[in-house]
Amino acid sequence: MTDSHGRTIRDLRISVTDRCNFRCVYCMEPDVRFAPRESLLSTSEIIRVARIAESLGVRKIRLTGGEPTLHSELAAIIAGIRAATGVEIAMITNASLLTRDALREWKAAGLARVTISIDSLRPDRFARLTRSTSSPADVLAGVERTIAEGLTPLKLNAVLIRGFNDDEAADLAELARLYSIEMRFIEYMPLDSGHTWDSSKWVSAAETRAAIEDRFPLIARDDDDPSSTARTFAFADGAPGRIGFIAPVSSPFCGACSRLRLTADGKVRPCLFSTTEWDLRAALRAGATDDHLADFLIDATWTKQPGHGIASHDFRQPARPMSAIGG
Ligand code: SAM
Ligand code: SF4
């Protein structure tokens, strides 16, 4: 499945729900309205799309949300995708619901890897940032359980916002050393439901890297997968772990993008910043055959825009926030 700019799709991100138990300031406003339940794809619809996507060349599926662990049938979704496909199944989560039993159930169902978001190590700040009752200690306990259950390699994600948590770059980077994992810093993107993003709150990957290097000098690695979103670095002192920078704003990686997104309500989005959506749910519910659905995905992919254009003067933030797209 290729687009009109010659890029091949290998990676499908499926949002299983737009609901979340957090209200991160850079993602969801407290009064966000969720899609009606009947508009969300069912477990069998999600599995069917995954199977067809694999037949078109998708090799990796990442389950996301909202918060995917809130889905009552998450294990069945994972097991169904595993039974229907040979793709690698990963998940991204805020770690608030990572009990040992849940992790074991998802792993037994076929989940291979987990990515966990953590934006602050200071309890008061974490509470203000996530507007949740969870804490950094809860997230780190989830990290430890995930590693213990072997859902690895584990990655951590952080978004830094100026004046909020941008002084924690080195502290968060230290988690990579402590847990021998990859700690990734994602530039804040204009995808918040409050539409409050502005460049004064944005912290560049270069600035984040400089702040980390004040404490932990880094060495660029040269084995990054070209379609990877992150540029990764090792610690110069040989400590374990690595640091990744995902810089969609300062260094767009659109030219190597291999991703397609399916929202919880069944819309195909060729790009995070797409302003046009493709209503796969309507086709699914109108009785489309597998061949028709495959053609639908091929056609949607063909329209994938060359880039997101965040830096251009006529950039328009998509109406859907990150939580309703699936990051
Ligand atoms: N709830 C899960 C979580 O937070 O990990 C999964 C969904 S969340 C939308 C996926 C990722 O998107 C998280 O790592 C989050 O930090 C990131 N994200 C959300 N809003 C963002 C924004 N405006 N800019 C950059 N990253 C964002
Ligand atoms: Fe929820 Fe994840 Fe968005 Fe935070 S970033 S509000 S945890 S979906």
Side-chain angles (χ1 to χ4, degrees):
M1 196 158 45
T2 52
D3 70 13
S4 62
H5 306 283
R7 295 167 297 188
T8 302
I9 301 301
R10 300 255 173 246
D11 180 352
L12 177 64
R13 307 217 169 159
I14 302 180
S15 173
V16 296
T17 178
D18 61 340
R19 289 169 169 69
C20 191
N21 51 351
F22 285 17
R23 296 287 184 275
C24 299
V25 292
Y26 53 75
C27 181
M28 234 188 243
E29 287 301 287
D31 60 352
V32 65
R33 292 171 77 99
F34 297 122
R37 282 185 193 277
E38 62 281 8
S39 72
L40 305 185
L41 293 190
S42 67
T43 297
S44 59
E45 287 171 331
I46 291 172
I47 294 164
R48 186 171 176 212
V49 177
R51 178 172 53 74
I52 295 166
E54 186 197 32
S55 75
L56 296 172
V58 164
R59 295 290 168 261
K60 197 168 111 192
I61 288 182
R62 183 153 88 170
L63 303 176
T64 178
E67 176 47 41
T69 60
L70 289 178
H71 198 297
S72 58
E73 295 181 14
L74 181 59
I77 292 173
I78 297 168
I81 296 175
R82 164 56 59 241
T85 74
V87 302
E88 182 192 53
I89 309 171
M91 177 175 79
I92 177 161
T93 171
N94 64 25
S96 58
L97 298 169
L98 299 186
T99 62
R100 200 184 60 166
D101 287 350
L103 288 163
R104 285 189 179 170
E105 188 185 12
W106 301 327
K107 186 171 185 199
L111 185 66
R113 297 196 294 110
V114 170
T115 296
I116 290 176
S117 302
I118 180 163
D119 303 312
S120 176
L121 293 168
R122 305 190 192 176
D124 54 333
R125 205 181 258 185
F126 184 95
R128 273 188 292 125
L129 212 144
T130 62
R131 298 185 283 215
S132 76
T133 54
S134 193
S135 69
D138 292 338
V139 178
L140 295 179
V143 166
E144 287 166 18
R145 282 194 288 269
T146 302
I147 294 171
E149 296 307 325
L151 285 159
T152 50
L154 172 73
K155 292 178 183 162
L156 299 183
N157 278 357
V159 177
L160 298 183
I161 301 179
R162 191 170 311 286
F164 215 122
N165 60 345
D166 54 322
D167 55 350
E168 287 191 67
D171 292 345
L172 288 164
E174 194 167 19
L175 296 176
R177 302 163 68 90
L178 291 173
Y179 293 112
S180 297
I181 46 105
E182 182 174 325
M183 176 78 227
R184 307 193 305 178
F185 294 88
I186 309 175
E187 285 179 346
Y188 179 27
M189 292 180 276
L191 285 171
D192 53 315
S193 73
H195 289 236
T196 60
W197 185 94
D198 74 63
S199 55
S200 68
K201 296 181 189 154
W202 170 75
V203 183
S204 71
E207 182 180 337
T208 306
R209 179 177 160 192
I212 294 170
E213 295 219 54
D214 270 351
R215 203 183 306 167
F216 305 118
L218 300 173
I219 305 172
R221 296 165 49 96
D222 52 17
D223 58 352
D224 288 336
D225 174 346
S227 71
S228 164
T229 49
R231 232 188 116 205
T232 63
F233 292 78
F235 291 105
D237 64 1
R242 60 168 91 165
I243 300 297
F245 297 101
I246 302 181
V249 182
S250 62
S251 317
F253 36 80
C254 307
C257 183
S258 59
R259 282 165 286 283
L260 194 67
R261 290 183 157 80
L262 179 65
T263 68
D265 59 352
K267 307 291 190 296
V268 176
R269 293 178 63 88
C271 172
L272 257 184
F273 292 89
S274 295
T275 46
T276 309
E277 299 184 333
W278 291 68
D279 191 357
L280 188 67
R281 186 190 68 203
L284 274 164
R285 296 189 182 170
T289 62
D290 285 0
D291 285 347
H292 178 163
L293 295 175
D295 286 343
F296 188 101
L297 290 174
I298 290 168
D299 289 347
T301 297
W302 189 253
T303 68
K304 192 170 159 73
Q305 62 207 60
H308 54 57
I310 297 175
S312 93
H313 67 281
D314 57 355
F315 171 77
R316 267 197 310 133
Q317 178 167 345
R320 260 183 205 268
M322 186 71 134
S323 57
I325 299 172

